[in-house]
């Protein structure tokens, strides 16, 4: 019954048997049979079907709303049962670089949660060095972080994407009109780094050593706070990603960040210890990789 409820919910959400079947990784005929069986067992019609669209019957609308609550309650029940049986919750602890702002992780987490309803996910957001330390001492199972050193032989290292580096600067700042900028041209403008209290020294040292930034440094606890500082013309943020931002394009510009004649690049990777490998971590890693591949394909199209 639980599987039938999830198929039914997918059809309602997708508005199509074909799309729901693809989402659930089964054939269209199989998902149609499951819904037919569900309606037969209930003795009511849940869906109106025609060639153009699918809609809920009044009974189907009521059943859909209640089924969402039921499936949510079931997932919580499973987690509580595991906690009672084993003395603790089965968990996956994910470490995420504080400056990462993409949607790939969010989509992978959603997919993982649908598949593993009995596993509790926790996410820790901090800077590169602290993430590395948390992975080594067992506080994180897997990291989504940038590559700042040679890959370790003791960990699995998966390259997700290589991105060009930019600075984010206020749109009304004259620097935003340049086709690219170098560290020497930025020496009189404060560099805003996103980091938690106590991490200022290691972050500053990394950007000084790697990018040659030698001016004044300011600090913000989150990327959102840093961007507010940018908009108020307090400085710029070094970032990586795409050349244009959809959400901030009216107030913030991205200018390519160069070293000589070449634009800086940065690798975003997944890391987890080889001694800690298991099907749960590896399955989650595959989901994250898939989302980055989908995003890459969408950008190319």
């Amino acid at each position: 019954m639980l599987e039938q409820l999830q198929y039914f919910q997918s059809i309602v959400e997708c508005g199509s048997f074909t799309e729901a079947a693809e989402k659930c990784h089964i054939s269209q005929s199989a998902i149609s049979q499951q819904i037919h069986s569900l309606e037969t067992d209930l003795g009511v019609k849940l869906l109106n079907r025609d060639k153009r669209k699918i809609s809920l019957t009044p009974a189907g609308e009521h059943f859909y709303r209640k089924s969402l609550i039921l499936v949510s309650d079931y997932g919580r029940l499973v987690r509580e049962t595991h906690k009672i049986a084993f003395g603790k919750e089965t968990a996956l602890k994910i470490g995420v670089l504080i400056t990462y702002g993409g949607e790939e992780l969010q989509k992978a987490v959603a997919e993982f949660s649908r598949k593993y309803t009995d596993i509790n996910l926790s996410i820790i957001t901090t800077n590169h060095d602290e993430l590395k330390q948390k992975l080594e001492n067992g506080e994180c199972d897997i990291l989504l972080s940038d590559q700042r050193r040679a890959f370790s032989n003791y960990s699995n290292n998966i390259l997700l994407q290589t991105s060009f580096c930019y600075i984010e600067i206020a749109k009304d700042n004259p620097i935003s009109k340049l086709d690219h900028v170098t560290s020497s041209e930025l020496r009189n403008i404060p560099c805003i780094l996103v980091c938690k209290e106590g991490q200022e020294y290691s972050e500053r040292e990394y950007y000084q050593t790697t990018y040659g930034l030698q001016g004044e440094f300011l600090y913000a606890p989150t990327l959102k706070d840093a961007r507010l500082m940018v908009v108020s013309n307090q400085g710029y943020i070094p970032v990586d990603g795409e050349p244009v931002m959809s959400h901030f394009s009216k107030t913030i510009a991205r200018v390519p960040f160069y070293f000589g004649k070449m634009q800086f690049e940065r690798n975003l990777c997944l890391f987890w210890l080889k001694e800690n490998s298991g099907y749960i971590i590896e399955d989650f890693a595959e989901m994250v990789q898939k989302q980055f591949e989908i995003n890459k394909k969408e950008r190319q199209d």
Side-chain angles (χ1 to χ4, degrees), residues 13-272:
E13 291 156 13
C14 294
S16 161
F17 276 83
T18 302
E19 291 182 20
E22 291 177 359
K23 178 181 177 181
C24 297
H25 306 292
I26 63 171
S27 67
Q28 184 176 340
S29 60
I31 200 170
S32 296
Q33 290 171 4
Q34 289 290 336
I35 299 306
H36 176 73
S37 176
L38 177 62
E39 290 179 321
T40 300
D41 290 342
L42 292 171
V44 299
K45 185 178 180 181
L46 299 174
L47 297 169
N48 294 313
R49 305 165 176 82
D50 60 40
K51 294 181 180 179
R52 294 186 177 181
K53 65 177 182 179
I54 294 170
S55 61
L56 288 165
T57 65
E61 175 69 31
H62 174 79
F63 187 79
Y64 173 68
R65 292 176 63 87
K66 293 294 184 180
S67 74
L68 293 174
I69 298 169
L70 180 62
V71 171
S72 175
D73 287 345
Y74 177 79
R76 186 162 49 254
L77 173 63
V78 170
R79 290 192 293 272
E80 290 169 352
T81 304
H82 273 253
K83 187 174 182 179
I84 293 170
F86 303 113
K88 63 178 183 179
E89 291 181 305
T90 305
L92 179 65
K93 296 167 288 186
I94 307 164
V96 183
L97 189 68
I98 194 169
T99 54
Y100 168 76
E103 296 182 348
E104 299 91 352
L105 178 65
Q106 178 182 337
K107 292 177 181 177
V109 166
E111 181 181 356
F112 183 88
S113 297
R114 287 192 295 269
K115 183 174 181 179
Y116 298 100
T117 58
D118 59 331
I119 296 178
N120 183 45
L121 285 176
S122 62
I123 298 177
I124 300 168
T125 304
T126 185
N127 76 336
H128 175 95
D129 288 344
E130 188 170 342
L131 286 176
K132 181 174 179 293
Q133 183 179 3
K134 288 183 180 296
L135 182 68
E136 292 170 352
N137 65 24
E139 292 181 65
C140 284
D141 298 312
I142 187 169
L143 305 182
L144 175 61
S145 186
D146 56 349
Q147 181 190 0
R148 298 192 178 183
R149 304 170 180 85
F151 286 145
S152 168
N153 292 326
Y154 298 100
S155 63
N156 292 292
N157 315 290
I158 306 297
L159 176 62
L160 296 172
Q161 70 178 21
T162 299
S163 301
F164 284 119
C165 295
Y166 301 84
I167 66 159
E168 290 185 3
I169 196 162
K171 197 93 172 204
D172 58 3
N173 190 302
I175 293 289
S176 70
K177 308 300 189 297
L178 294 175
D179 59 356
H180 70 275
V181 67
T182 63
S183 58
S184 62
E185 294 170 325
L186 295 169
R187 63 181 179 273
N188 295 323
I189 305 174
C191 174
I192 303 166
L193 299 180
V194 181
C195 62
K196 296 180 179 178
E197 186 176 355
Q199 300 171 350
E200 296 89 348
Y201 174 78
S202 62
E203 284 299 288
R204 182 177 70 249
E205 184 181 40
Y206 169 72
Y207 280 94
Q208 287 175 334
T209 304
T210 305
Y211 299 102
L213 299 176
Q214 297 298 327
E216 180 185 359
F217 286 87
L218 303 176
Y219 305 95
T222 68
L223 188 56
K224 181 179 179 181
D225 292 317
R227 282 177 170 151
L228 288 174
M229 293 170 70
V230 167
V231 170
S232 60
N233 253 317
Q234 295 183 50
Y236 67 89
I237 314 171
V239 297
D240 57 85
E242 298 301 309
V244 178
M245 297 182 299
S246 58
H247 300 304
F248 303 96
S249 58
K250 292 183 179 180
T251 55
I252 297 177
R254 279 191 172 178
V255 181
F257 189 20
Y258 272 58
F259 174 74
K261 296 183 178 180
M262 299 291 292
Q263 190 170 359
F264 281 111
E265 293 181 337
R266 184 153 61 170
N267 292 333
L268 188 64
C269 308
L270 285 176
F271 305 97
W272 70 95

